[in-house]
Amino acid sequence: QVQLVESGGGLVQAGGSLRLSCPASGRIISTNAMGWYRQAPGKQRELVAAIGSGGNTNYADSVKGRFTISRDNAKNTVYLQMNSLKPKDTAVYYCNAQGWVGRPVNRYDSWGQGTPVTVSS
């Protein structure tokens, strides 16, 4: 129903920056929460940052002050600006979006395929 495609991941040195993007496409009527999660090898997927439709944000303690989540509602796109990257930020980053689709009207909760981020020391 709704497709999410992450981009912007890659290899960066510690202290560097990356900007992730994730547009949502499909029969979207409205998008409520959007967020970024990450999963490091051998670990569970964890929330990195989330943003509501009104712009309210929530961050994991480990990224506060370094990462910024934002969204463009007209484009149904969520972004993650990552600064001062550390080796422990290395993971596959996934975007998530929740909201409503039409024809027929139904809720959606969709995930992207993930984009890898590797931070070298």
Side-chain angles (χ1 to χ4, degrees):
Q1 288 181 326
V2 175
Q3 295 78 43
L4 303 176
V5 181
E6 302 96 338
S7 63
L11 173 64
V12 64
Q13 288 188 332
S17 298
L18 286 174
R19 186 178 191 239
L20 306 183
S21 300
C22 181
S25 61
R27 303 189 309 275
I28 298 171
I29 293 176
S30 64
T31 299
N32 300 330
M34 304 185 84
W36 289 94
Y37 293 73
R38 67 186 180 188
Q39 187 167 17
K43 295 188 177 182
Q44 289 188 331
R45 190 173 297 188
E46 63 176 0
L47 173 68
V48 176
I51 185 167
S53 57
N56 51 304
T57 58
N58 181 39
Y59 294 93
D61 288 342
S62 60
V63 307
K64 284 180 180 177
R66 300 188 297 122
F67 291 9
T68 302
I69 189 170
S70 60
R71 62 189 286 172
D72 184 331
N73 290 330
K75 298 180 179 179
N76 282 315
T77 300
V78 63
Y79 306 94
L80 186 68
Q81 178 66 43
M82 304 186 294
N83 298 328
S84 302
L85 282 161
K86 304 175 181 180
K88 66 179 181 180
D89 295 317
T90 295
V92 178
Y93 284 70
Y94 299 88
C95 66
N96 171 262
Q98 302 169 24
W100 294 88
V101 295
R103 304 193 303 275
V105 176
N106 204 350
R107 292 183 62 87
Y108 79 88
D109 184 348
S110 297
W111 292 85
Q113 294 298 309
T115 184
V117 171
T118 303
V119 184
S120 63
S121 57

